[in-house]
Amino acid sequence: MSRLVYLLNGPNLNLLGKRQPAVYGYETLAEVESDCRRLASELRLDLEIHQSNSEAQLIDWIHAARERAGGIVINPGAYAHTSIAILDALATCEFPIIEVHISNIHKRETFRHHSYVSLVAAGVIAGFGTQGYQLALQRIGRLIDEATSSAKGKRNGGKGKSKPTRKSAG
Protein backbone atom coordinates (compact mmCIF):
# COMPACT_ATOMS: atom_id res chain seq x y z
CA MET A 1 0.00 0.00 0.00
CA SER A 2 1.21 3.47 -0.83
CA ARG A 3 2.55 5.60 2.02
CA LEU A 4 1.37 8.73 0.24
CA VAL A 5 -1.30 10.65 2.16
CA TYR A 6 -3.33 13.46 0.68
CA LEU A 7 -4.07 16.20 3.20
CA LEU A 8 -7.01 18.19 1.86
CA ASN A 9 -8.39 21.42 3.28
CA GLY A 10 -11.68 22.91 2.21
CA PRO A 11 -13.13 26.39 2.07
CA ASN A 12 -11.85 29.26 4.18
CA LEU A 13 -9.00 27.28 5.69
CA ASN A 14 -6.64 29.50 3.70
CA LEU A 15 -7.70 32.17 6.23
CA LEU A 16 -6.60 30.13 9.22
CA GLY A 17 -5.05 32.42 11.83
CA LYS A 18 -7.04 35.42 10.56
CA ARG A 19 -10.66 34.19 10.47
CA GLN A 20 -12.43 33.79 13.81
CA PRO A 21 -9.28 33.14 15.88
CA ALA A 22 -11.43 32.58 18.97
CA VAL A 23 -12.82 29.50 17.19
CA TYR A 24 -9.93 28.37 14.97
CA GLY A 25 -6.84 29.76 16.74
CA TYR A 26 -4.01 31.97 15.54
CA GLU A 27 -1.93 29.34 13.76
CA THR A 28 -1.79 29.83 9.99
CA LEU A 29 -2.36 27.11 7.40
CA ALA A 30 1.33 27.40 6.42
CA GLU A 31 2.31 26.63 10.03
CA VAL A 32 -0.07 23.67 10.15
CA GLU A 33 1.36 22.36 6.89
CA SER A 34 4.93 22.71 8.18
CA ASP A 35 4.08 20.78 11.35
CA CYS A 36 2.35 18.08 9.29
CA ARG A 37 5.32 17.71 6.93
CA ARG A 38 7.67 17.31 9.89
CA LEU A 39 5.46 14.63 11.48
CA ALA A 40 4.87 12.84 8.17
CA SER A 41 8.63 12.55 7.74
CA GLU A 42 8.95 11.00 11.21
CA LEU A 43 6.14 8.56 10.34
CA ARG A 44 7.74 7.71 6.97
CA LEU A 45 4.71 9.06 5.14
CA ASP A 46 4.79 11.03 1.92
CA LEU A 47 2.45 13.99 2.10
CA GLU A 48 0.66 15.93 -0.61
CA ILE A 49 -1.14 18.98 0.79
CA HIS A 50 -3.84 20.99 -0.96
CA GLN A 51 -6.40 23.65 -0.02
CA SER A 52 -9.26 24.93 -2.13
CA ASN A 53 -12.42 26.93 -1.71
CA SER A 54 -13.81 25.04 -4.71
CA GLU A 55 -15.80 21.84 -4.27
CA ALA A 56 -14.88 20.71 -7.80
CA GLN A 57 -11.15 21.09 -7.14
CA LEU A 58 -11.40 19.05 -3.92
CA ILE A 59 -13.22 16.30 -5.83
CA ASP A 60 -10.49 16.30 -8.52
CA TRP A 61 -7.83 15.82 -5.82
CA ILE A 62 -9.85 12.98 -4.27
CA HIS A 63 -10.01 11.31 -7.70
CA ALA A 64 -6.23 11.71 -8.09
CA ALA A 65 -5.67 10.25 -4.62
CA ARG A 66 -7.66 7.14 -5.58
CA GLU A 67 -4.91 6.26 -8.06
CA ARG A 68 -1.86 7.19 -5.98
CA ALA A 69 -2.45 7.40 -2.24
CA GLY A 70 -2.77 5.11 0.73
CA GLY A 71 -5.11 7.46 2.57
CA ILE A 72 -6.73 10.88 2.84
CA VAL A 73 -6.86 13.28 5.77
CA ILE A 74 -9.54 15.84 4.99
CA ASN A 75 -10.83 18.94 6.68
CA PRO A 76 -13.78 19.60 4.40
CA GLY A 77 -14.76 22.76 6.27
CA ALA A 78 -18.37 23.69 5.64
CA TYR A 79 -18.57 21.15 2.79
CA ALA A 80 -18.79 18.47 5.50
CA HIS A 81 -22.35 19.59 6.13
CA THR A 82 -23.46 20.18 2.56
CA SER A 83 -21.55 18.18 -0.05
CA ILE A 84 -22.96 14.90 -1.21
CA ALA A 85 -20.60 15.22 -4.19
CA ILE A 86 -17.54 15.06 -1.89
CA LEU A 87 -19.13 12.13 -0.04
CA ASP A 88 -19.63 10.30 -3.35
CA ALA A 89 -16.02 10.97 -4.42
CA LEU A 90 -14.64 9.76 -1.08
CA ALA A 91 -16.85 6.66 -1.24
CA THR A 92 -14.89 5.51 -4.32
CA CYS A 93 -11.67 5.33 -2.30
CA GLU A 94 -10.48 1.94 -1.07
CA PHE A 95 -8.22 3.25 1.66
CA PRO A 96 -8.68 4.98 5.03
CA ILE A 97 -10.08 8.48 5.28
CA ILE A 98 -9.77 10.57 8.43
CA GLU A 99 -11.99 13.63 8.83
CA VAL A 100 -10.60 16.58 10.79
CA HIS A 101 -12.33 19.65 12.21
CA ILE A 102 -10.37 22.23 14.18
CA SER A 103 -13.39 23.21 16.27
CA ASN A 104 -15.80 20.87 18.01
CA ILE A 105 -18.59 20.92 15.45
CA HIS A 106 -20.96 19.36 17.99
CA LYS A 107 -20.72 22.40 20.27
CA ARG A 108 -21.56 24.80 17.47
CA GLU A 109 -24.65 25.61 15.43
CA THR A 110 -27.05 22.72 14.89
CA PHE A 111 -26.48 22.65 11.11
CA ARG A 112 -22.81 21.78 11.78
CA HIS A 113 -23.65 18.66 13.80
CA HIS A 114 -24.10 16.46 10.71
CA SER A 115 -21.22 15.58 8.38
CA TYR A 116 -21.66 13.69 5.13
CA VAL A 117 -17.92 12.95 5.12
CA SER A 118 -18.27 11.06 8.41
CA LEU A 119 -20.31 8.41 6.59
CA VAL A 120 -17.14 7.18 4.81
CA ALA A 121 -14.46 8.19 7.31
CA ALA A 122 -12.56 5.61 9.33
CA GLY A 123 -12.47 8.21 12.08
CA VAL A 124 -13.35 11.80 12.93
CA ILE A 125 -11.19 14.17 14.95
CA ALA A 126 -12.90 17.36 16.09
CA GLY A 127 -12.26 20.00 18.70
CA PHE A 128 -8.53 19.49 19.23
CA GLY A 129 -7.52 22.62 17.36
CA THR A 130 -4.83 22.26 14.74
CA GLN A 131 -3.35 19.35 16.73
CA GLY A 132 -6.15 17.32 15.14
CA TYR A 133 -4.14 17.17 11.92
CA GLN A 134 -1.22 15.53 13.70
CA LEU A 135 -3.53 13.07 15.45
CA ALA A 136 -5.04 12.23 12.07
CA LEU A 137 -1.63 11.63 10.49
CA GLN A 138 -0.62 9.35 13.35
CA ARG A 139 -3.82 7.34 12.96
CA ILE A 140 -3.70 7.10 9.19
CA GLY A 141 -0.05 6.02 9.39
CA ARG A 142 -1.05 3.19 11.70
CA LEU A 143 -3.96 2.19 9.43
CA ILE A 144 -1.61 2.09 6.42
CA ASP A 145 0.89 -0.01 8.42
CA GLU A 146 -1.87 -2.43 9.44
CA ALA A 147 -3.13 -2.75 5.86
CA THR A 148 0.41 -3.34 4.59
CA SER A 149 1.05 -5.97 7.26
CA SER A 150 -2.24 -7.70 6.46
CA ALA A 151 -1.47 -7.70 2.73
CA LYS A 152 1.99 -9.21 3.38
CA GLY A 153 0.38 -11.92 5.49
CA LYS A 154 -2.01 -12.82 2.68
CA ARG A 155 0.83 -12.96 0.14
CA ASN A 156 2.73 -15.31 2.46
CA GLY A 157 -0.19 -17.72 2.61
CA GLY A 158 -1.46 -16.33 5.90
CA LYS A 159 1.98 -16.55 7.53
CA GLY A 160 2.01 -12.91 8.57
CA LYS A 161 1.47 -11.74 12.12
CA SER A 162 -0.85 -13.99 14.02
CA LYS A 163 -2.09 -14.06 17.56
CA PRO A 164 -0.70 -16.83 19.74
CA THR A 165 -3.14 -19.56 20.54
CA ARG A 166 -3.85 -20.46 24.12
CA LYS A 167 -3.71 -24.11 25.13
CA SER A 168 -6.20 -25.25 27.69
CA ALA A 169 -4.96 -26.94 30.81
CA GLY A 170 -6.45 -30.33 31.21
Side-chain angles (χ1 to χ4, degrees):
M1 176 175 264
S2 172
R3 295 196 64 77
L4 174 63
V5 174
Y6 271 54
L7 174 57
L8 303 178
N9 285 290
N12 299 312
L13 287 157
N14 56 307
L15 299 176
L16 201 54
K18 300 173 194 150
R19 176 180 169 250
Q20 294 181 276
V23 175
Y24 301 109
Y26 289 94
E27 195 171 10
T28 67
L29 187 57
E31 291 168 325
V32 170
E33 290 175 356
S34 177
D35 290 344
C36 287
R37 287 186 197 286
R38 194 170 20 261
L39 178 60
S41 177
E42 291 173 21
L43 297 171
R44 298 177 340 273
L45 295 172
D46 298 314
L47 197 57
E48 192 162 314
I49 302 174
H50 299 288
Q51 186 279 326
S52 181
N53 295 320
S54 166
E55 183 179 40
Q57 180 61 72
L58 290 165
I59 291 168
D60 287 344
W61 287 324
I62 293 165
H63 290 173
R66 285 183 69 236
E67 305 299 323
R68 303 181 56 223
I72 292 176
V73 171
I74 183 168
N75 182 341
Y79 286 140
H81 322 295
T82 63
S83 182
I84 295 169
I86 289 176
L87 165 66
D88 287 348
L90 289 169
T92 68
C93 297
E94 296 181 2
F95 49 61
I97 298 159
I98 305 290
E99 180 180 3
V100 174
H101 294 280
I102 295 168
S103 67
N104 182 348
I105 60 174
H106 302 287
K107 284 182 70 174
R108 298 187 63 196
E109 304 92 340
T110 304
F111 70 86
R112 295 185 194 274
H113 296 179
H114 177 265
S115 168
Y116 287 104
V117 173
S118 296
L119 297 173
V120 292
V124 179
I125 298 170
F128 289 91
T130 57
Q131 183 187 8
Y133 288 98
Q134 294 177 13
L135 297 170
L137 285 174
Q138 290 171 338
R139 181 63 184 149
I140 210 156
R142 179 166 294 180
L143 291 171
I144 290 170
D145 289 344
E146 289 171 359
T148 302
S149 177
S150 175
K152 284 181 184 175
K154 288 178 184 174
R155 283 195 302 271
N156 294 334
K159 295 178 183 168
K161 285 186 176 179
S162 62
K163 293 183 180 177
T165 57
R166 184 178 226 175
K167 293 184 178 181
S168 61

